[in-house]
Amino acid sequence: MMKFLKVLLLAFPLLLLLNKSSNAQSGGYATMRVFDCNKSVGLGSGFLSAKIFIVYEDATTEELPLLPYTEKNELENLKNVNQVINKLKSKGYFLISQYTTGEQGNLISDYTFLKQH
């Protein structure tokens, strides 16, 4: 009986870890890219205005417009980004990373979300 308990105590954390990793893998990821720009950003052969792109784990996409960058619009755009993050949270996504590059008035931010079950 004591040997069984020792084996069970050793195996239990491993079983929990395997269960958590299988749940995380079955959830999938969504990526959100925010172009917050005061001028068009070159993207391949075209140009892109301020907007939000979302790619879900099933490869479906969503595109949401943002106002052109100005000091007046910056707060409104931030509210829009916050609404999208809250919408993703209500769909079961959890923000796991965020990265921003660029300079003021010309920022590109990437957000990675993990879908929870």
Side-chain angles (χ1 to χ4, degrees), residues 32 85 89 93-98 110-114:
M32 180 172 82
I85 290 171
K89 181 182 177 233
Y93 290 95
F94 178 75
L95 179 64
I96 59 171
S97 74
Q98 187 276 329
D110 287 328
Y111 299 80
T112 303
F113 297 86
L114 176 63

Side-chain angles (χ1 to χ4, degrees), residues 59-106:
T60 58
T61 60
E62 190 173 353
E63 186 177 323
L64 306 164
L66 289 174
L67 298 170
Y69 180 87
T70 65
E71 202 171 303
K72 179 183 157 195
N73 291 342
E74 184 60 22
L75 183 57
E76 203 55 42
N77 281 342
L78 186 58
K79 287 178 185 179
N80 288 335
V81 169
N82 193 60
Q83 284 178 336
V84 172
I85 290 171
N86 282 320
K87 180 180 91 169
L88 288 168
K89 181 182 177 233
S90 72
K91 289 182 172 185
Y93 290 95
F94 178 75
L95 179 64
I96 59 171
S97 74
Q98 187 276 329
Y99 176 78
T100 300
T101 188
E103 55 196 45
Q104 185 174 358
N106 219 7

Side-chain angles (χ1 to χ4, degrees), residues 49-61:
S49 58
K51 60 179 66 182
I52 299 171
F53 288 124
I54 304 171
V55 179
Y56 294 96
E57 74 275 4
D58 62 359
T60 58
T61 60

Side-chain angles (χ1 to χ4, degrees), residues 35-37 39-41 47-53 66 68:
F35 292 92
D36 192 4
C37 310
K39 56 188 177 227
S40 294
V41 174
F47 289 92
L48 193 62
S49 58
K51 60 179 66 182
I52 299 171
F53 288 124
L66 289 174

